[in-house]
Amino acid sequence: MQTITLKIDDSINEKFFWLLSHFSKNEIKILEQSEYISDDDYLRKIDGMVQSIKEAKNEPIEKGVTLDKLEW
């Protein structure tokens, strides 16, 4: 089974969900449904995120870490 994330325009929202209703629950399941918000708006809603970004912008470049040194 595959999982996809879609952004659906409001103008076709009803038609899209009508289409989905014609599949069985074994074929398609809606895992999550929410209003789209931009990445910027999402990050601004996280407590302390804006302040953290402001502080990071003031750090000297020498304190930065290159991508190959990040521990994911």
Side-chain angles (χ1 to χ4, degrees):
M1 188 168 268
Q2 302 292 317
T3 301
I4 61 172
T5 302
L6 303 171
K7 185 170 93 171
I8 302 167
D9 190 272
D10 290 339
S11 66
I12 66 156
N13 190 47
E14 280 187 40
K15 292 176 184 175
F16 184 76
F17 281 98
W18 173 86
L19 174 66
L20 292 182
S21 72
H22 287 77
F23 293 91
S24 76
K25 291 184 179 182
N26 292 331
E27 293 173 312
I28 294 180
K29 292 180 184 174
I30 297 175
L31 302 176
E32 183 180 333
Q33 184 176 352
S34 62
E35 291 289 323
Y36 173 79
I37 60 172
S38 69
D39 293 343
D40 187 57
D41 289 338
Y42 172 78
L43 290 172
R44 288 177 185 279
K45 288 184 177 188
I46 300 172
D47 285 339
M49 183 60 73
V50 172
Q51 185 60 34
S52 175
I53 291 170
K54 286 179 180 177
E55 290 171 6
K57 286 171 74 174
N58 290 327
E59 287 186 8
I61 194 81
E62 296 80 29
K63 289 184 75 176
V65 177
T66 59
L67 286 175
D68 62 323
K69 300 285 192 265
L70 289 176
E71 294 179 15
W72 298 90

